[in-house]
Amino acid sequence: VLAVYPHEPLPDIAFHAPLLPAYPPAAEVVEDATLGCHQGALYPVGLTRGSPVAAACRLSAHRLVEALRERGTRLRPAGGGGGAFASECLRDCEAALREPERASRRI
């Protein structure tokens, strides 16, 4: 199981919180936090070029594609293939780490 949780909270008006399931004891579970907000992190990469959600979408696509490949699924290379797409994702993460904290909220 790969559970990916985007780090930006939805607006309070959404009345929505992440579901945190209880997995069977034998399940192999990987839970990751990623860039983005809710479904906004899952738009097709080609449709987000130049938009504020582009980095989140690239990172989610890379993470999901690699998880599927590790389990034997044959897929076309994400972002044109090779290490360039992975390197771009790494640059996106490094840039996000330099930004002031945005994913917080006062309760």
Side-chain angles (χ1 to χ4, degrees):
V1 175
L2 172 63
V4 179
Y5 301 101
H7 82 289
E8 293 178 27
L10 286 171
D12 292 336
I13 193 70
F15 295 105
H16 182 66
L19 299 175
L20 301 174
Y23 298 103
E28 183 180 322
V29 179
V30 175
E31 294 181 304
D32 278 349
T34 191
L35 300 176
C37 178
H38 201 52
Q39 288 298 111
L42 295 174
Y43 292 120
V45 173
L47 298 178
T48 62
R49 282 187 176 72
S51 81
V53 299
C57 294
R58 272 192 300 273
L59 187 57
S60 293
H62 177 67
R63 184 64 181 105
L64 295 172
V65 165
E66 289 305 309
L68 289 168
R69 282 195 182 131
E70 288 170 6
R71 286 153 183 84
T73 305
R74 289 184 174 174
L75 299 168
R76 285 178 289 165
F85 193 67
S87 295
E88 191 173 9
C89 289
L90 181 59
R91 285 191 301 273
D92 291 336
C93 291
E94 290 169 342
L97 289 171
R98 288 190 297 270
E99 290 181 17
E101 186 176 334
R102 296 182 314 168
S104 63
R105 161 179 313 159
R106 288 191 148 156
I107 298 179

